[in-house]
Amino acid sequence: MKETLHSLTADAEGERLDRFLGRTLADHSRVHLQKIIQEGLVLVNGSLLLKPSHRLKRGDAVTARIPPPESSEVEPEAIPLRIVFENVDVLVIDKPAGMVVHPAAGHKRGTLVGAVLAHAPEVKGVGEIERPGIVHRLDKDTSGLILVAKNSKAQRFLQEAFAGRRAEKTYLALVAGRPPTAEGRIETLIGRDPSHRKRMAVVPSSRGREAVTLFHTRERFAHSTLLEVHPLTGRTHQIRVHLAYIGCPVVGDAVYGKRRPPSHSPQIPSRFGGSMEGGRQMLHAWKLKIALPGEDAPREFEAPLPDDFQTLLDRLRDLEKS
């Protein structure tokens, strides 16, 4: 696709430049058009303007150069993968914390999808171009099991299994404090936080979707608790939002962890996520039980705790003994 040139005439007095372009070039997002202005690709009456907020006068001549879109196709990258299981239809991968699943703003390289395409090129073209083969989500800083479809038929089968709640997911979460009961069911509606658009929140019925999470206590420490967590639905950030909602945010969660223990607490050393600095959220996708394409009986997969999570638990156990 080539660069396109648009010659326009302002038809309203005092309208912002970015709003005018957004109205007249409706195929492009306002954010994209603001970026084009700031990159010097827009002229008003022959003069370069870099401010999207510039107010136009009726009759102003506006010229906008729209560069061709960047390719959204993911490039294969030779990144080692911890493959738990593989056949002609699926890959089950133990994703490390810190790896982004698919390209996003600020994370174009080093993704799980790039690594998968290098390992299994046939995944290219399965589903969306930016996330080929992806069936379900896993946050960047959450470790553990993720399922990837290697063909379109398998992807449809697995997506229907997740949508129909025929996939049983089990997570391990180290949380700050203790939940109000040793085990329980959290059932709310989750949607975009109206005050922070990059966050999710428990919201009223008019703005959210059903979210259900089961949990039970596996181990207690002085200032934290190890929980086994079973999400019955798959909302964005569901486990993190729900655990924070009951007053026990995941240790190391910089987004939802408002009630983190102080960094000087000996029970949760700061280097393992006891403070805002350092560490990652202690959430691990531990087990996955699901029937695979062409099979009747479900299989169960398991990813061992990664070293950082295991080391923190060992440290907490030692402190309990001392």
Side-chain angles (χ1 to χ4, degrees):
M1 187 178 295
K2 297 180 180 180
E3 177 182 276
T4 57
L5 181 67
H6 299 269
S7 297
L8 311 165
T9 302
D11 56 2
E13 189 71 23
E15 186 174 19
R16 283 175 57 119
L17 176 58
D18 58 348
R19 289 179 182 168
F20 168 71
L21 290 177
R23 180 167 57 85
T24 54
L25 302 176
D27 290 341
H28 302 274
S29 72
R30 187 171 169 187
V31 171
H32 182 215
L33 294 169
Q34 287 174 338
K35 182 180 178 183
I36 288 170
I37 295 169
Q38 292 164 346
E39 290 178 347
L41 300 178
V42 176
L43 302 177
V44 177
N45 298 324
S47 298
L48 176 65
L49 288 174
L50 301 177
K51 291 185 177 181
S53 60
H54 174 78
R55 298 286 177 175
L56 295 170
K57 296 179 180 179
R58 188 186 300 273
D60 278 348
V62 180
T63 303
R65 288 169 40 220
I66 309 294
E70 296 179 7
S71 173
S72 57
E73 190 170 289
V74 186
E75 294 295 327
E77 293 184 77
I79 301 171
L81 289 169
R82 292 198 287 263
I83 297 173
V84 176
F85 174 84
E86 181 177 11
N87 64 13
V88 295
D89 292 313
V90 303
L91 275 164
V92 183
I93 297 168
D94 181 3
K95 184 189 83 69
M99 175 180 268
V100 176
V101 172
H102 57 80
H107 299 285
K108 297 295 184 184
R109 306 282 296 173
T111 66
L112 179 84
V113 165
V116 166
L117 289 173
H119 173 80
E122 65 269 29
V123 174
K124 182 179 180 180
V126 178
E128 297 179 40
I129 190 170
E130 291 184 342
R131 54 188 78 186
I134 298 303
V135 176
H136 62 111
R137 293 183 294 266
L138 209 58
D139 294 339
K140 171 189 171 186
D141 288 327
T142 298
S143 55
L145 295 174
I146 186 166
L147 197 57
V148 178
K150 295 174 69 176
N151 56 68
S152 297
K153 184 177 180 180
Q155 187 180 48
R156 287 193 297 272
F157 177 93
L158 295 169
Q159 287 173 335
E160 290 172 1
F162 276 88
R165 301 187 185 182
R166 297 190 300 276
E168 298 178 23
K169 296 175 285 184
T170 303
Y171 289 71
L172 292 177
L174 183 67
V175 301
R178 291 185 181 181
T181 56
E183 59 183 44
R185 176 187 178 100
I186 309 167
E187 188 167 355
T188 71
L189 298 167
I190 288 180
R192 288 286 170 190
D193 187 327
S195 302
H196 304 277
R197 297 301 297 169
K198 292 185 178 182
R199 292 174 36 150
M200 308 302 288
V202 172
V203 297
S205 58
S206 60
R207 299 206 311 268
R209 300 175 67 191
E210 177 196 26
V212 183
T213 304
L214 308 180
F215 70 88
H216 79 259
T217 298
R218 291 182 62 89
E219 202 167 350
R220 287 176 174 165
F221 306 104
H223 298 283
S224 58
T225 307
L226 179 64
L227 298 178
E228 185 174 313
V229 184
H230 301 269
L232 302 187
T233 52
R235 309 299 171 226
T236 302
H237 298 176
Q238 177 176 316
I239 293 175
R240 297 162 61 195
V241 170
H242 269 171
L243 294 178
Y245 178 69
I246 64 170
C248 297
V250 175
V251 167
D253 190 337
V255 176
Y256 301 103
K258 293 181 179 179
R259 293 185 54 190
R260 230 179 257 101
S263 60
H264 61 266
S265 168
Q267 279 70 30
I268 301 183
S270 59
R271 64 193 174 94
F272 292 124
S275 68
M276 290 292 288
E277 301 82 17
R280 55 97 172 183
Q281 61 202 29
M282 290 293 117
L283 183 61
H284 178 67
W286 182 34
K287 293 181 179 180
L288 176 63
K289 186 175 182 180
I290 189 171
L292 299 182
E295 300 181 1
D296 295 325
R299 293 177 181 258
E300 185 167 4
F301 305 101
E302 181 176 328
L305 277 175
D307 290 344
D308 61 345
F309 204 140
Q310 187 63 61
T311 298
L312 176 53
L313 288 180
D314 291 343
R315 173 64 173 153
L316 293 174
R317 290 165 183 150
D318 288 344
L319 289 167
E320 290 292 308
K321 297 174 185 177
S322 60

